[in-house]
Short mmCIF file of all heavy atoms in Angstrom, two decimals:
data_model
loop_
_atom_site.label_atom_id
_atom_site.label_comp_id
_atom_site.label_asym_id
_atom_site.label_seq_id
_atom_site.Cartn_x
_atom_site.Cartn_y
_atom_site.Cartn_z
N ASN N 143 31.32 77.88 120.64
CA ASN N 143 32.43 77.13 120.11
C ASN N 143 32.01 76.48 118.75
O ASN N 143 31.26 75.52 118.74
CB ASN N 143 32.82 76.01 121.10
CG ASN N 143 33.95 75.23 120.73
OD1 ASN N 143 34.19 74.91 119.58
ND2 ASN N 143 34.88 74.93 121.75
N LEU N 146 32.96 72.81 118.00
CA LEU N 146 32.06 71.82 118.60
C LEU N 146 30.77 71.71 117.81
O LEU N 146 30.32 70.63 117.50
CB LEU N 146 31.75 72.16 120.12
CG LEU N 146 30.71 71.33 120.75
CD1 LEU N 146 31.07 69.83 120.79
CD2 LEU N 146 30.48 71.84 122.18
N TRP N 159 28.15 64.47 127.47
CA TRP N 159 28.94 65.59 127.96
C TRP N 159 29.39 65.17 129.41
O TRP N 159 28.62 65.09 130.35
CB TRP N 159 28.10 66.85 128.06
CG TRP N 159 28.82 68.09 128.58
CD1 TRP N 159 30.17 68.28 128.65
CD2 TRP N 159 28.21 69.27 129.01
NE1 TRP N 159 30.43 69.52 129.15
CE2 TRP N 159 29.23 70.19 129.36
CE3 TRP N 159 26.87 69.71 129.13
CZ2 TRP N 159 28.98 71.48 129.83
CZ3 TRP N 159 26.67 71.00 129.57
CH2 TRP N 159 27.65 71.85 129.89
N SER N 161 31.85 65.51 132.73
CA SER N 161 32.60 66.50 133.48
C SER N 161 32.94 65.90 134.85
O SER N 161 32.16 65.08 135.38
CB SER N 161 31.81 67.74 133.66
OG SER N 161 32.47 68.70 134.40
N THR N 163 33.27 68.16 137.34
CA THR N 163 32.72 69.20 138.19
C THR N 163 31.24 69.23 137.95
O THR N 163 30.70 68.70 136.97
CB THR N 163 33.35 70.57 137.89
OG1 THR N 163 33.00 70.89 136.50
CG2 THR N 163 34.79 70.57 138.03
N PHE N 165 27.70 70.69 136.81
CA PHE N 165 27.36 71.48 135.68
C PHE N 165 26.74 72.76 136.13
O PHE N 165 25.90 72.84 137.03
CB PHE N 165 26.37 70.65 134.75
CG PHE N 165 26.97 69.45 134.15
CD1 PHE N 165 26.86 68.20 134.75
CD2 PHE N 165 27.68 69.55 132.96
CE1 PHE N 165 27.41 67.10 134.16
CE2 PHE N 165 28.25 68.44 132.37
CZ PHE N 165 28.18 67.25 132.99
N HIS N 166 27.07 73.85 135.39
CA HIS N 166 26.48 75.17 135.69
C HIS N 166 26.49 75.95 134.40
O HIS N 166 27.17 75.66 133.42
CB HIS N 166 27.25 75.88 136.81
CG HIS N 166 28.72 75.92 136.61
ND1 HIS N 166 29.31 76.88 135.85
CD2 HIS N 166 29.66 75.14 137.09
CE1 HIS N 166 30.64 76.64 135.82
NE2 HIS N 166 30.89 75.64 136.56
N ASN N 167 25.79 77.10 134.41
CA ASN N 167 25.58 77.82 133.22
C ASN N 167 26.77 78.67 132.71
O ASN N 167 26.70 79.28 131.67
CB ASN N 167 24.32 78.77 133.29
CG ASN N 167 24.46 79.77 134.41
OD1 ASN N 167 25.46 79.90 135.04
ND2 ASN N 167 23.40 80.60 134.50
N THR N 168 27.86 78.76 133.42
CA THR N 168 29.09 79.39 133.00
C THR N 168 30.12 78.45 132.52
O THR N 168 31.22 78.82 132.15
CB THR N 168 29.66 80.31 134.13
OG1 THR N 168 29.94 79.51 135.25
CG2 THR N 168 28.67 81.38 134.53
N GLN N 169 29.82 77.18 132.53
CA GLN N 169 30.77 76.14 132.16
C GLN N 169 31.01 76.09 130.63
O GLN N 169 30.08 76.46 129.90
CB GLN N 169 30.23 74.77 132.66
CG GLN N 169 31.20 73.64 132.52
CD GLN N 169 30.69 72.45 133.38
OE1 GLN N 169 29.62 72.52 133.94
NE2 GLN N 169 31.39 71.37 133.29
N ASN N 170 32.16 75.67 130.22
CA ASN N 170 32.41 75.52 128.77
C ASN N 170 31.33 74.59 128.19
O ASN N 170 30.97 73.60 128.86
CB ASN N 170 33.78 74.83 128.56
CG ASN N 170 34.94 75.77 128.65
OD1 ASN N 170 34.76 77.01 128.62
ND2 ASN N 170 36.10 75.27 128.85
N TYR N 171 30.87 74.91 127.02
CA TYR N 171 29.89 74.13 126.26
C TYR N 171 28.43 74.29 126.74
O TYR N 171 27.53 73.82 126.02
CB TYR N 171 30.20 72.61 126.19
CG TYR N 171 31.68 72.30 126.00
CD1 TYR N 171 32.36 71.47 126.82
CD2 TYR N 171 32.36 72.93 124.92
CE1 TYR N 171 33.66 71.19 126.61
CE2 TYR N 171 33.70 72.62 124.75
CZ TYR N 171 34.38 71.76 125.60
OH TYR N 171 35.65 71.48 125.42
N PHE N 172 28.23 74.92 127.82
CA PHE N 172 26.83 75.15 128.26
C PHE N 172 26.03 75.89 127.28
O PHE N 172 24.93 75.46 126.92
CB PHE N 172 26.78 75.87 129.62
CG PHE N 172 25.37 76.04 130.15
CD1 PHE N 172 24.72 75.09 130.84
CD2 PHE N 172 24.63 77.18 129.81
CE1 PHE N 172 23.41 75.19 131.28
CE2 PHE N 172 23.32 77.35 130.20
CZ PHE N 172 22.70 76.40 130.96
N GLU N 173 26.57 76.95 126.77
CA GLU N 173 25.85 77.78 125.77
C GLU N 173 25.52 76.98 124.52
O GLU N 173 24.43 77.09 123.97
CB GLU N 173 26.71 79.04 125.43
CG GLU N 173 26.02 80.02 124.58
CD GLU N 173 26.90 81.22 124.22
OE1 GLU N 173 27.99 81.34 124.75
OE2 GLU N 173 26.42 82.04 123.38
N GLU N 174 26.44 76.17 124.06
CA GLU N 174 26.20 75.40 122.84
C GLU N 174 25.08 74.39 123.10
O GLU N 174 24.18 74.17 122.25
CB GLU N 174 27.50 74.67 122.42
CG GLU N 174 28.53 75.61 121.92
CD GLU N 174 29.35 76.34 122.98
OE1 GLU N 174 29.11 76.11 124.21
OE2 GLU N 174 30.27 77.09 122.63
N PHE N 175 25.19 73.62 124.19
CA PHE N 175 24.17 72.56 124.43
C PHE N 175 22.84 73.20 124.77
O PHE N 175 21.79 72.63 124.48
CB PHE N 175 24.64 71.63 125.54
CG PHE N 175 25.88 70.81 125.09
CD1 PHE N 175 26.90 70.59 125.91
CD2 PHE N 175 25.88 70.25 123.78
CE1 PHE N 175 28.04 69.88 125.51
CE2 PHE N 175 26.96 69.57 123.36
CZ PHE N 175 28.06 69.30 124.19
N VAL N 238 31.94 64.39 124.66
CA VAL N 238 32.51 65.73 124.92
C VAL N 238 33.04 65.79 126.32
O VAL N 238 32.35 65.52 127.26
CB VAL N 238 31.45 66.85 124.67
CG1 VAL N 238 32.04 68.22 124.95
CG2 VAL N 238 30.92 66.73 123.27
N HIS N 239 34.31 66.18 126.43
CA HIS N 239 34.92 66.28 127.77
C HIS N 239 36.14 67.16 127.68
O HIS N 239 36.56 67.59 126.55
CB HIS N 239 35.30 64.87 128.30
CG HIS N 239 36.35 64.21 127.47
ND1 HIS N 239 37.71 64.24 127.76
CD2 HIS N 239 36.25 63.51 126.29
CE1 HIS N 239 38.40 63.55 126.85
NE2 HIS N 239 37.56 63.06 125.95
N GLU N 240 36.71 67.50 128.82
CA GLU N 240 37.92 68.26 128.84
C GLU N 240 39.04 67.45 129.38
O GLU N 240 39.55 67.67 130.51
CB GLU N 240 37.70 69.54 129.68
CG GLU N 240 36.74 70.48 128.97
CD GLU N 240 36.61 71.87 129.67
OE1 GLU N 240 37.40 72.18 130.51
OE2 GLU N 240 35.72 72.61 129.20
N PHE N 262 35.23 64.74 121.26
CA PHE N 262 35.61 66.14 121.21
C PHE N 262 36.21 66.57 122.55
O PHE N 262 35.54 66.50 123.58
CB PHE N 262 34.39 67.04 120.91
CG PHE N 262 34.74 68.51 120.83
CD1 PHE N 262 35.24 69.02 119.66
CD2 PHE N 262 34.58 69.36 121.89
CE1 PHE N 262 35.62 70.35 119.58
CE2 PHE N 262 34.91 70.67 121.84
CZ PHE N 262 35.40 71.22 120.68
N PRO N 264 38.78 69.67 123.49
CA PRO N 264 39.69 70.74 122.98
C PRO N 264 41.06 70.76 123.60
O PRO N 264 42.05 71.09 123.04
CB PRO N 264 38.94 71.98 123.29
CG PRO N 264 37.97 71.65 124.36
CD PRO N 264 37.63 70.16 124.15
N THR N 265 41.15 70.25 124.91
CA THR N 265 42.41 70.25 125.56
C THR N 265 43.42 69.34 124.77
O THR N 265 44.52 69.70 124.57
CB THR N 265 42.30 69.77 126.99
OG1 THR N 265 41.33 70.63 127.64
CG2 THR N 265 43.52 69.86 127.77
#
Side-chain angles (χ1 to χ4, degrees):
N143 187 317
L146 172 59
W159 181 16
S161 178
T163 61
F165 292 95
H166 52 82
N167 64 358
T168 59
Q169 190 168 359
N170 282 343
Y171 318 127
F172 180 87
E173 186 179 356
E174 291 81 359
F175 293 136
V238 178
H239 64 95
E240 291 188 11
F262 180 82
T265 306

